[in-house]
Amino acid sequence: MNANDISIITLQEQPHLLHTAATWFHEKWGIPLSVYEESMQASIDSTSLLPRWYMLVDTCGAMIAGAGLIANDFHECTELTPNICALYVEAAWRGKGLTKRLLDHIRKDAGSYDISRLYLITSHTRFYEACGWEFFSMIKENDGTVTRMYTASTL
């Protein structure tokens, strides 16, 4: 199977995947399962953009990557919104351009809601620049950790 066999879906399109998706993200990031379930249920119930959850699935329906789009990803600058969060690609699928594909999809989706700019926080350096994002500044997370924030215009 190759990267062309991958589909990007939203939880709004496939609400029956809520528990599967919440469990998958919980296992990747260690955030309590209930936090994901609550945000994902809100995304299913919402008619607005936020929150929104995206998943890349293979032809068998297995999750291989995903990310969320939320108002704030646990940092102190609440005016810098919306934020991409919980971005993860399974190790076997890395290096195939899926992160950029997912990020560009989210940028287009947000642009269709008249959002002009997105943000994300990460400890990675140079990776997001290769995906078309710009370093914005160092930012303090709610736990006091200082990390990098990136930004990109929507598409």
Side-chain angles (χ1 to χ4, degrees), residues 10-12 18 36-54 69:
T10 65
L11 201 53
Q12 291 85 348
L18 185 148
Y36 288 114
E37 289 174 331
E38 181 180 318
S39 179
M40 290 178 179
Q41 187 62 58
S43 76
I44 291 168
D45 295 342
S46 178
T47 58
S48 64
L49 176 64
L50 300 178
R52 184 159 302 217
W53 290 90
Y54 304 85
L69 186 63

Side-chain angles (χ1 to χ4, degrees), residues 69-137:
L69 186 63
I70 60 175
N72 182 278
D73 193 16
F74 307 109
H75 60 76
E76 62 182 16
C77 295
T78 57
E79 73 278 7
L80 301 175
T81 188
N83 292 201
I84 291 178
C85 70
L87 177 61
Y88 191 88
V89 177
E90 294 286 0
W93 288 93
R94 293 178 188 161
K96 300 180 186 313
L98 294 178
T99 300
K100 183 172 182 350
R101 183 174 161 195
L102 178 57
L103 288 169
D104 286 352
H105 180 88
I106 296 170
R107 290 169 69 187
K108 287 176 190 169
D109 194 26
S112 74
Y113 283 83
D114 294 326
I115 303 293
S116 61
R117 187 153 292 282
L118 301 177
Y119 301 89
L120 64 81
I121 58 174
T122 183
S123 59
H124 290 288
T125 57
R126 290 182 246 126
F127 178 78
Y128 288 99
E129 287 95 334
C131 293
W133 289 65
E134 302 169 1
F135 174 73
F136 182 75
S137 71

Side-chain angles (χ1 to χ4, degrees), residues 5-27:
D5 297 326
I6 305 306
S7 299
I8 300 175
I9 60 172
T10 65
L11 201 53
Q12 291 85 348
E13 298 166 334
Q14 303 285 331
H16 65 279
L17 294 176
L18 185 148
H19 183 71
T20 300
T23 300
W24 186 85
F25 281 102
H26 162 70
E27 290 172 353

